[in-house]
Amino acid sequence: MADKQGGNGPRKLPRARYERELYRLQTELVKLQEWVRTEGARIVVVFEGRDAAGKGSTIKRVTQYLNPRVARIAALPRPTERERTQWYFQRYAEHLPAGGEIVLFDRSWYNRAGVERVMGFCTPAEHQRFLRQCPVFERMLVEDGILLRKYWFSVSDEMQEQRFRRRLQDPTRRWKLSPMDLESLTRWEEYSRAKDEMFVHTDIVESPWFVVESDDKRRARLNMIAHLLSTVPYRDVTPPRLTLPPRPPATGYQRPPRDLQTYVPDHAAGLSD
């Protein structure tokens, strides 16, 4: 199941329609959050896929209106020397949710089946051990009551290259590119083979993979969020609407003179139309 090459998908979703549906889905995500908090549920969402496939921007939309004390992102850096000597899944297990929490993994333990496998950062024996242990690890999570969802963001080679070029030209997004990211262009087929092998071993009944077509990021975000909501049996437990109490009458408080405090300069005042 390799990612498509030279994709010709449906036309880009119009912005107005996208934003309207996104807000509706984000409202449902807030309801999901309140259900998780009230019921003490545990949700893990794994985001995987090629570089520039749209994982990060989707995670931003998922968490945009959520309470960071309930929904948090786990984006782990390179393992330390100590972590390299641990059981492979150990450092990921530390980030699993407690009751009433949602954890979104921006890349996950599947690094071993992807970049580590292709770039030679693990041995063939370590890779094969991962493919054997991963289904066992995930079955343990599911059996313990964790709601585990795994999404693979699929992007065409043409679209990936376009996004890389835009990042190179955008000073606010150049940090998203590293020499290793650019290697994914020259190792496209190697990554495809690694992903196909990963799916063979880890697309299991207890925790299946769900593929998100992501050449159109707007569609990808809506499709992923809608699917996640459809797989969780949440209900609306939104607390009753609050009303503002009347402001009490003034009792003679006097604000200190402004010159006793240091204010941020008014940068905005110097902007031209």
Side-chain angles (χ1 to χ4, degrees):
M1 188 186 295
D3 283 272
K4 53 194 176 299
Q5 298 195 21
N8 291 306
R11 68 182 182 87
K12 193 171 184 178
L13 193 66
R15 177 174 293 276
R17 189 185 310 166
Y18 159 72
E19 291 182 345
R20 184 169 58 249
E21 179 61 9
L22 176 63
Y23 187 75
R24 186 190 72 81
L25 291 173
Q26 289 173 324
T27 302
E28 290 300 312
L29 284 170
V30 172
K31 295 178 184 178
L32 170 67
Q33 167 193 266
E34 291 305 298
W35 174 82
V36 166
R37 188 179 59 82
T38 300
E39 296 295 320
R42 294 171 292 166
I43 297 180
V44 170
V45 187
V46 168
F47 291 79
E48 291 287 348
R50 294 183 186 269
D51 297 314
K55 303 178 296 296
S57 62
T58 302
I59 291 171
K60 286 181 181 178
R61 273 63 179 188
V62 170
T63 59
Q64 185 172 356
Y65 297 110
L66 301 185
N67 184 340
R69 294 185 179 87
V70 176
R72 54 187 169 85
I73 301 168
L76 276 60
R78 294 178 181 177
T80 64
E81 289 300 320
R82 180 175 182 275
E83 288 171 333
R84 289 190 181 98
T85 67
Q86 296 175 341
W87 176 49
Y88 178 72
F89 294 94
Q90 187 169 338
R91 76 187 194 115
Y92 294 99
E94 293 178 358
H95 295 271
L96 293 173
E101 293 180 350
I102 303 169
V103 176
L104 297 91
F105 279 92
D106 186 353
R107 295 200 180 279
S108 66
W109 45 89
Y110 282 101
N111 278 336
R112 176 137 295 179
V115 64
E116 291 189 22
R117 160 79 170 80
V118 173
M119 301 301 294
F121 296 154
C122 67
T123 67
E126 288 172 331
H127 176 244
Q128 289 301 311
R129 188 183 310 130
F130 170 84
L131 294 179
R132 290 194 305 271
Q133 291 185 350
C134 185
V136 178
F137 173 66
E138 292 182 357
R139 287 189 181 103
M140 291 172 64
L141 300 183
V142 174
E143 287 174 4
D144 201 59
I146 289 177
L147 301 175
L148 174 61
R149 302 294 181 267
K150 304 186 306 191
Y151 292 97
W152 177 270
F153 283 69
S154 178
V155 65
S156 67
D157 54 350
E158 289 181 357
M159 181 56 69
Q160 183 190 52
E161 183 173 353
Q162 287 180 32
R163 291 175 182 171
F164 279 174
R165 292 188 185 281
R166 287 199 293 268
R167 288 181 180 182
L168 286 171
Q169 297 165 1
D170 186 343
T172 67
R173 295 194 293 169
R174 285 179 194 152
W175 64 269
K176 290 188 174 184
L177 281 179
S178 68
M180 194 178 304
D181 294 329
L182 299 181
E183 283 234 27
S184 62
L185 287 175
T186 59
R187 296 175 181 254
W188 181 273
E189 290 192 1
E190 293 177 66
Y191 272 102
S192 293
R193 293 189 184 97
K195 177 250 186 174
D196 292 345
E197 184 178 10
M198 178 187 82
F199 267 51
V200 168
H201 290 270
T202 63
D203 188 17
I204 59 177
V205 173
E206 295 86 348
S207 59
W209 278 105
F210 298 103
V211 178
V212 181
E213 296 282 5
S214 62
D215 271 13
D216 180 350
K217 285 187 178 182
R218 293 174 186 170
R219 291 180 186 272
R221 294 164 190 160
L222 298 183
N223 293 341
M224 179 269 149
I225 297 172
H227 180 269
L228 173 63
L229 290 168
S230 73
T231 66
V232 179
Y234 73 98
R235 67 182 189 282
D236 188 354
V237 290
T238 303
R241 183 174 302 212
L242 301 176
T243 56
L244 288 176
R247 184 181 295 276
T251 58
Y253 167 76
Q254 296 292 324
R255 184 175 180 175
R258 291 177 61 90
D259 57 9
L260 295 180
Q261 300 173 351
T262 303
Y263 284 83
V264 171
D266 191 357
H267 170 79
L271 299 179
S272 58
D273 292 336

